[in-house]
């Protein structure tokens, strides 16, 4: 009996590995070499017009509970260009609702691209595995709105909210009333604990590493610059970064190389966040010209 | 979802959980006597000024007090999940329905009700609203024909926490030393799976930091042997804080064990959810038993009878007098014919109070000051 169960398990595992692990990539993307300054390429620049767009089908995250019943975004269109120094990716996907406003029950529209830090051996495509990290470039619509309109806070989320006084936020000066920002921040737990979500950042793209589901960790680098725009029910997101960077745990691109790539999109309106997301069903590949 | 079987004594049976059974060395627990709560909200404010006075926490009440049957914070937290759960029958002491883990939909870990944004905006909705209307000529009976009561709530530092089970990042942990359940503020990424999953709706999202927070069980006080802020500041002296053993290890000198296990006077809130919450309520004797049974399980009838008999029950009378009489956590207590005593874990006496306060009657005429004493405040 036990042997039988074991056999079934082994077959099931082999299937999972084959289909979603080291199996054939579903989509092959070309990153076209262009005579343009890719470090500055914008969302609607002409360079994108004559560059092939690859349709990447997405499906619900189906490996770990909680799994979304259904997902809001079923495909994302991917383009890529490079100039030998910088590489850029443009993602477009349909999303009828723009979810970029911070509220206690709002979820942000978001998207992420994932690369293996090393392709040999290739990590499990679903967020990597122990000792085989992946590098993730993670965009959130909340951060785009922060960058455009100023960082969202409780005052922008709930303008009618009232409070008498925050601790140490004296409206007078004098002995004992002058407190440092750090002293005041003791009353904002995530900030006091130096949670990377709440720490200062310049860019709308968060860089992170992971060695398996639930292990995502913000990297202390910001090498990826992004722009995002929602128009007529479509998000367009551009991410650009140097092809090589000093950080050894980051993805590096070389002309002529094939690089595994994976995608995830979150539809905030469907309360998608964390593991409730749409994902590409396996590693795809980007061929760098 | 692959579930484990854990023993849930509140349900009298094994129940499903995401992780195997691991009980802490000691379990943080509180007892609230609902017959005495006056909804003064001193507990809510004691908690708020201590822990949630920061930016992003404006709407947060880790401790809240709501009026039953209609009040709730967030609005409808209980109705929302109860109506989803379906029939919740008991066969004697054994729960015959499904817990929230057992009723989880496909691809989910736990059955959940998600509160809407505006549900968090009315912490004291339904305050003092009674269950029906009072007609001309109505009279008082016990239980009351038209009733309401106050329900103070905090996180119950559950033995099988839904919040912890739901977190995909394992950012929530239950401390082995005291059973307090905490969200690691440096690991949380604000996915709000805990906010969705906790049936008591006690994890909350901070828009300023964009991560979730919850009641910390006043662990900095607890580590020094002190009771929580909401307990020691309670005006109505309805609360007692300490540690609870499992029923088979109950120690009758431990005040929490005595109330929960020995006398079965204090009962868990919605045990059918299956998280084994560790706040125990002495049910209000003036509310209908059928309503209370849905809330506190099949033990309500016995608890109400025991409570009504307290005037003839010196030990319980003494123990209830100890509520709100000290800040230190009691390891044991003792009652004799005059006094109730509380002791720490080394057996040192911490507190001693008269079971019945002595009565002094003052003469109407004060001969020293040559004035009549008036009974006006
Ligand atoms: S302080 Fe005590 S009496 Fe007042 S509302 Fe809170 S629990 Fe009730
Ligand atoms: S009451 Fe809710 S937040 Fe508290 S431990 Fe239980 S499940 Fe977690």
């Amino acid at each position: 009996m036990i042997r039988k169960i074991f056999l079934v398990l082994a077959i099931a595992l082999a299937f999972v590995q084959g289909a979603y692990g080291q199996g054939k990539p579903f989509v092959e993307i070309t990153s076209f070499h262009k005579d343009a300054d890719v470090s500055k390429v914008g969302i609607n620049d002409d360079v994108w017009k004559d560059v092939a767009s690859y349709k990447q089908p997405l499906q619900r995250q189906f490996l770990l509970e909680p799994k979304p019943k259904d997902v809001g975004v079923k495909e994302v269109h991917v383009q890529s260009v490079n100039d030998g120094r910088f590489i850029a990716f443009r993602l477009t996907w349909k999303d009828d609702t723009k979810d970029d406003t911070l509220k206690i029950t709002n979820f942000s529209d978001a998207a992420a691209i994932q690369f293996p830090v090393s392709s040999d051996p290739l990590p499990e495509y679903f967020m990597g595995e122990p000792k085989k990290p992946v590098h993730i470039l993670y965009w959130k619509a909340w951060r785009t709105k922060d960058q455009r309109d100023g960082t969202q806070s409780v005052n922008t989320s709930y303008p009618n909210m009232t409070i008498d006084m925050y601790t140490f936020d004296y409206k007078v000066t004098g002995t004992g009333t002058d407190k440092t920002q750090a002293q005041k921040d003791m009353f904002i737990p995530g900030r006091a604990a130096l949670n990377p979500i709440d720490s200062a950042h310049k860019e709308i793209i968060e860089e992170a590493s992971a060695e398996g589901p639930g292990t995502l960790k913000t990297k202390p680098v910001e090498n990826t610059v992004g722009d995002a725009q929602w128009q007529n029910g479509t998000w367009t997101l551009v991410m650009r970064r140097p092809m090589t960077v000093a950080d050894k745990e980051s993805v590096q691109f070389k002309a002529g190389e094939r690089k595994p790539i994976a995608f995830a999109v979150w539809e905030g309106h469907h309360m998608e966040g964390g593991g409730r997301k749409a994902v590409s069903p396996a590693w795809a590949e980007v061929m760098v010209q | 979802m692959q579930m484990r079987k854990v023993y849930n004594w509140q349900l009298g049976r094994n129940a499903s959980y995401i992780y195997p059974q691991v009980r802490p060395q000691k379990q943080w627990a509180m007892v609230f006597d609902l017959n005495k709560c006056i909804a003064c909200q001193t507990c809510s404010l004691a908690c708020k000024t201590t822990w949630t006075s920061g930016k992003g926490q404006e709407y947060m009440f880790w401790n809240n007090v709501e009026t039953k049957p209609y009040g709730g914070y967030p609005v409808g937290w209980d109705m929302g999940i109860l109506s989803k759960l379906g029939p919740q029958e008991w066969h004697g002491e054994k729960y015959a329905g499904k817990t929230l883990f057992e009723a989880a939909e496909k691809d989910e870990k736990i059955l959940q009700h998600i509160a809407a944004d505006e549900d968090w905006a009315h912490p004291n909705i339904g305050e003092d609203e009674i269950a029906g209307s009072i007609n001309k000529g109505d009279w008082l009976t016990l239980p009351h024909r038209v009733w309401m009561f106050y329900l103070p709530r905090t996180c119950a530092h559950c033995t099988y926490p839904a919040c912890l089970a739901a977190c995909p990042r394992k950012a929530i942990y239950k401390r082995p030393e005291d059973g307090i359940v905490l969200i690691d503020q440096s690991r949380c990424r604000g996915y709000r799976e805990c906010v969705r999953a906790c049936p008591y709706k006690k994890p909350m999202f901070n828009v300023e930091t964009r991560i979730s927070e919850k009641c910390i069980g006043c662990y900095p006080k607890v580590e020094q042997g002190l009771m929580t802020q909401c307990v020691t500041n309670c005006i109505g002296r309805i609360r007692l804080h300490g540690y609870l053993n499992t029923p088979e290890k109950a120690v009758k000198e431990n005040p929490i064990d005595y109330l929960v296990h020995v006398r079965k006077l204090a009962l868990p809130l919605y045990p059918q959810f299956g998280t084994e919450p560790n706040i125990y309520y002495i049910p209000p004797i003036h509310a209908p038993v059928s309503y209370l049974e849905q809330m506190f399980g099949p033990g309500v009838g016995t608890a109400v009878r025991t409570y009504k008999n307290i005037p003839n029950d010196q030990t319980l009378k003494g123990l209830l007098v100890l509520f709100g009489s000290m800040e230190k956590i009691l390891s044991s207590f003792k009652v004799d014919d005059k006094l109730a005593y509380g002791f720490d874990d080394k057996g040192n006496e911490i507190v001693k109070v008269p079971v019945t306060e002595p009565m002094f009657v003052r003469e109407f005429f004060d001969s020293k000051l040559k004035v009549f004493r008036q009974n006006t405040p």
Side-chain angles (χ1 to χ4, degrees):
Chain A
M1 181 65 185
I2 289 178
R3 265 181 64 189
K4 217 173 183 176
I5 291 176
F6 194 77
L7 196 74
V8 170
L9 218 89
I11 292 170
L13 267 174
F15 172 75
V16 168
Q17 285 247 320
Y20 313 124
Q22 338 290 15
K24 256 210 155 321
F26 281 2
V27 182
E28 289 182 34
I29 298 156
T30 303
S31 179
F32 294 93
H33 190 275
K34 290 279 161 188
D35 281 332
D37 184 355
V38 172
S39 73
K40 297 213 172 61
V41 67
I43 291 180
N44 297 315
D45 284 9
D46 285 344
V47 70
W48 299 114
K49 288 208 178 111
D50 54 347
V51 166
S53 173
Y54 302 89
K55 187 167 99 179
Q56 169 69 61
L58 301 175
Q59 62 184 76
R60 68 183 192 124
Q61 185 279 110
F62 51 86
L63 287 177
L64 278 181
E65 284 90 358
K67 306 170 192 170
K69 272 190 196 56
D70 193 13
V71 283
V73 180
K74 304 262 170 42
E75 59 184 44
V76 56
H77 295 264
V78 187
Q79 291 170 287
S80 179
V81 293
N82 74 81
D83 60 8
R85 286 187 318 115
F86 276 79
I87 187 162
F89 293 89
R90 186 168 94 147
L91 271 52
T92 28
W93 68 94
K94 288 231 174 324
D95 179 348
D96 294 340
T97 47
K98 178 182 178 188
D99 297 281
D100 62 352
T101 322
L102 176 68
K103 279 200 170 243
I104 55 176
T105 51
N106 281 8
F107 285 78
S108 180
D109 287 336
I113 323 183
Q114 172 189 286
F115 304 96
V117 172
S118 161
S119 312
D120 187 25
L122 192 61
E124 184 56 51
Y125 99 98
F126 187 60
M127 295 190 75
E129 51 189 305
K131 303 253 158 60
K132 293 187 212 161
V134 289
H135 182 188
I136 293 169
L137 310 177
Y138 191 156
W139 165 81
K140 257 189 183 173
W142 281 353
R143 278 171 74 150
T144 288
K145 189 170 165 65
D146 289 344
Q147 197 182 53
R148 208 182 42 231
D149 304 338
T151 305
Q152 302 180 70
S153 72
V154 74
N155 308 77
T156 56
S157 301
Y158 300 97
N160 296 325
M161 175 277 301
T162 59
I163 180 110
D164 295 336
M165 190 192 96
Y166 293 109
T167 309
F168 290 165
D169 205 7
Y170 305 108
K171 299 284 183 287
V172 292
T173 50
T175 323
T177 62
D178 302 321
K179 298 288 178 192
T180 62
Q181 197 54 47
Q183 283 171 314
K184 291 183 185 177
D185 285 353
M186 285 306 291
F187 295 87
I188 304 182
R191 202 162 295 168
L194 305 178
N195 188 308
I197 297 240
D198 188 36
S199 58
H201 44 74
K202 259 193 3 261
E203 308 301 341
I204 59 170
I205 311 290
E206 176 186 2
E207 297 200 27
S209 62
E211 297 189 20
T215 66
L216 189 90
K217 204 171 152 204
T218 306
K219 288 166 76 69
V221 292
E222 286 192 291
N223 290 321
T224 313
V225 178
D227 285 313
Q229 186 186 52
W230 184 87
Q231 220 169 30
N232 306 327
T234 301
W235 273 111
T236 309
L237 166 68
V238 168
M239 296 192 196
R240 30 180 208 271
R241 57 178 282 115
M243 290 176 64
T244 53
V245 291
D247 177 32
K248 287 212 170 48
E249 295 293 295
S250 286
V251 58
Q252 316 276 352
F253 297 93
K254 251 207 308 256
E257 202 183 47
R258 289 172 179 278
K259 181 70 74 184
I261 184 171
F263 302 88
V265 176
W266 291 261
E267 214 292 54
H269 200 67
H270 284 204
M271 299 188 78
E272 290 174 17
R276 297 176 195 269
K277 62 185 169 188
V279 290
S280 49
W283 283 115
E285 248 180 17
V286 52
M287 157 68 201
V288 184
Q289 272 192 348
Chain B
M1 179 86 214
Q2 152 98 52
M3 293 269 184
R4 314 294 183 124
K5 284 287 170 221
V6 294
Y7 186 71
N8 185 321
W9 65 261
Q10 295 176 353
L11 305 179
R13 66 168 171 87
N14 282 329
S16 301
Y17 190 55
I18 306 294
Y19 297 114
Q21 172 167 331
V22 184
R23 283 182 187 270
Q25 290 136 31
K26 290 204 284 185
Q27 176 59 58
W28 179 108
M30 311 212 276
V31 171
F32 296 177
D33 181 355
L34 294 186
N35 294 284
K36 296 194 293 187
C37 177
I38 54 172
C40 63
Q41 305 280 6
T42 311
C43 47
S44 306
L45 267 291
C47 175
K48 190 135 201 59
T49 49
T50 310
W51 301 121
T52 60
S53 63
K55 211 168 182 204
Q57 299 177 315
E58 295 81 357
Y59 83 99
M60 282 187 201
F61 287 92
W62 291 356
N63 181 106
N64 78 291
V65 185
E66 54 202 46
T67 305
K68 285 291 149 206
Y70 298 125
Y73 163 80
V75 178
W77 67 271
D78 41 3
M79 267 90 87
I81 191 66
L82 287 168
S83 57
K84 275 193 169 176
L85 185 55
Q88 297 144 44
E89 274 174 35
W90 293 80
H91 293 162
E93 302 277 283
K94 195 168 163 187
Y95 179 54
K98 284 183 173 168
T99 69
L100 296 178
F101 296 104
E102 290 157 358
E105 289 164 16
K106 191 171 174 286
D107 297 337
E108 295 284 344
K109 292 176 178 171
I110 184 167
L111 190 70
Q112 43 194 256
H113 155 74
I114 302 173
D117 210 62
E118 56 272 23
D119 292 345
W120 293 100
H122 310 279
N124 212 4
I125 202 166
E127 187 190 27
D128 288 353
E129 260 177 54
I130 48 177
S133 51
I134 298 173
N135 301 316
K136 202 174 165 191
D138 262 350
W139 69 97
L140 272 181
T141 55
L142 208 60
H144 293 180
R145 283 149 32 80
V146 180
W147 54 275
M148 57 91 165
F149 63 90
Y150 303 120
L151 183 73
R153 305 199 301 116
T154 80
C155 160
H157 298 276
C158 305
T159 309
Y160 306 117
C163 56
L164 183 153
C167 178
R169 285 179 64 71
K170 298 199 172 74
I172 304 184
Y173 59 105
K174 185 169 174 70
R175 307 209 306 181
E177 64 269 38
D178 50 21
I180 290 176
V181 177
L182 296 173
I183 302 179
D184 182 338
Q185 289 295 292
S186 59
R187 261 195 78 69
C188 176
R189 280 187 61 90
Y191 299 156
R192 285 162 278 173
E193 288 297 339
C194 56
V195 180
R196 293 173 185 242
C198 169
Y200 303 98
K201 289 291 161 268
K202 281 300 173 184
M204 298 162 197
F205 186 66
N206 182 321
V207 285
E208 204 62 26
T209 59
R210 306 183 186 186
I211 59 171
S212 306
E213 298 175 9
K214 65 177 281 302
C215 159
I216 58 170
C218 282
Y219 73 82
K221 288 191 83 184
V222 170
E223 284 170 5
Q224 301 192 29
L226 302 177
M227 298 188 189
T228 66
Q229 288 291 74
C230 57
V231 169
T232 56
N233 286 282
C234 173
I235 298 290
R237 297 171 63 181
I238 82 150
R239 297 181 176 221
L240 190 71
H241 178 209
Y243 296 101
L244 179 79
N245 292 303
T246 45
E248 75 286 358
K249 292 201 186 119
V251 176
K252 68 176 192 311
E253 290 78 20
N254 170 340
I256 307 285
D257 278 358
Y258 187 76
L259 291 164
V260 174
H261 295 315
V262 179
R263 303 304 302 274
K264 302 192 190 315
L265 182 63
L267 309 166
L269 175 63
Y270 295 120
Q272 63 267 43
F273 291 165
T275 65
E276 213 185 279
N278 287 298
I279 298 181
Y280 297 86
Y281 293 88
I282 302 179
I285 60 170
H286 67 279
V289 168
S290 55
Y291 182 84
L292 295 175
E293 276 179 339
Q294 184 185 26
M295 271 180 118
F296 303 114
V300 171
T302 313
V304 168
R305 270 194 301 282
T306 307
Y307 197 83
K308 284 186 177 167
N309 189 45
I310 286 181
N312 312 314
D313 190 324
Q314 183 71 359
T315 311
L316 273 183
K317 215 201 293 184
L319 181 48
L320 288 193
V321 172
L322 285 174
F323 279 48
S325 291
M326 64 271 132
E327 192 170 20
K328 286 207 177 109
I329 293 175
L330 299 184
S331 271
S332 58
F333 80 106
K334 181 180 90 183
V335 182
D336 62 24
D337 53 355
K338 286 206 177 59
L339 297 167
Y341 309 81
F343 308 96
D344 67 13
D345 51 0
K346 293 188 189 67
N348 303 316
E349 186 182 295
I350 295 171
V351 64
K352 179 167 71 184
V353 283
V355 176
T356 307
E357 289 283 342
M359 175 121 123
F360 298 98
V361 180
R362 299 194 299 170
E363 295 293 324
F364 184 36
F365 184 71
D366 184 332
S367 51
K368 195 168 142 215
L369 295 174
K370 303 221 167 12
V371 288
F372 286 99
R373 288 176 170 131
Q374 305 237 13
N375 206 12
T376 43

